[in-house]
Amino acid sequence: MKLSQQSLSIIESAIQKAVAKYACSCEQTVVTDIHLQPDQASGQLNIYNDDDEELANIMIEEWTTYEGDDFLENVEPSLRNILCRMKDAGDFDKVTILKPYSFVLVDEEKETVAELLLIDDDTILVNDELLKGLDKELDDFLKDLLEK
């Protein structure tokens, strides 16, 4: 599902609003996950913390017109890309949540569907894109090593 630039901007603004609640000069807050819960029927994106406290709520019209049964699988890459861009832009640098914490995609029962982004100083979350071709590279390396 390809979202319009306007919808992507609305989602980014909602995420910024949600994390802004944790961007103060006060002490660090213990939150392990920020939950993003998109709803296909209503077009709502609800953002919650661990205590089910709503941090932001927006409407994405394009989601209501999607007909497929794989809604969450189609929404996941868009949300992940937005979060990665925001991280690269430094939008999460001033957040006072104790690290590590994650942005997770959850379904209507608030069950985790996917971890979208892990924020940690020392850990990198690998995804399928990063691992593509790794088996072949390792096989070639081992073959080359054994031949010498």
Side-chain angles (χ1 to χ4, degrees), residues 77-141:
S78 298
L79 294 176
R80 180 172 278 127
N81 289 339
I82 291 168
L83 288 165
C84 288
R85 272 198 322 269
M86 291 176 73
K87 181 181 184 240
D88 291 344
D91 289 355
F92 306 128
D93 292 347
K94 292 188 167 103
V95 175
T96 58
I97 299 174
L98 283 174
K99 293 178 183 174
Y101 65 93
S102 298
F103 289 89
V104 294
L105 177 64
V106 296
D107 61 16
E108 59 274 352
E109 284 90 34
K110 296 189 179 175
E111 296 292 322
T112 299
V113 174
E115 187 166 26
L116 300 170
L117 180 68
L118 173 68
I119 304 291
D120 192 1
D121 294 333
D122 301 325
T123 306
I124 297 175
L125 189 64
V126 293
N127 60 23
D128 293 339
E129 198 63 36
L130 184 61
L131 296 176
K132 275 187 184 169
L134 184 62
D135 285 340
K136 183 179 178 345
E137 287 180 32
L138 289 174
D139 289 344
D140 291 347
F141 173 75

Side-chain angles (χ1 to χ4, degrees), residues 1 11 15 32-40 44-48 63 70-81 83 102-118 125:
M1 169 187 331
I11 293 170
I15 295 169
T32 56
D33 292 326
I34 296 176
H35 306 273
L36 284 78
Q37 183 184 42
D39 181 40
Q40 181 177 358
Q44 294 288 317
L45 173 64
N46 297 310
I47 303 175
Y48 299 97
W63 288 351
D70 56 351
F71 173 70
L72 290 176
E73 291 81 14
N74 275 289
V75 169
E76 180 184 340
S78 298
L79 294 176
R80 180 172 278 127
N81 289 339
L83 288 165
S102 298
F103 289 89
V104 294
L105 177 64
V106 296
D107 61 16
E108 59 274 352
E109 284 90 34
K110 296 189 179 175
E111 296 292 322
T112 299
V113 174
E115 187 166 26
L116 300 170
L117 180 68
L118 173 68
L125 189 64

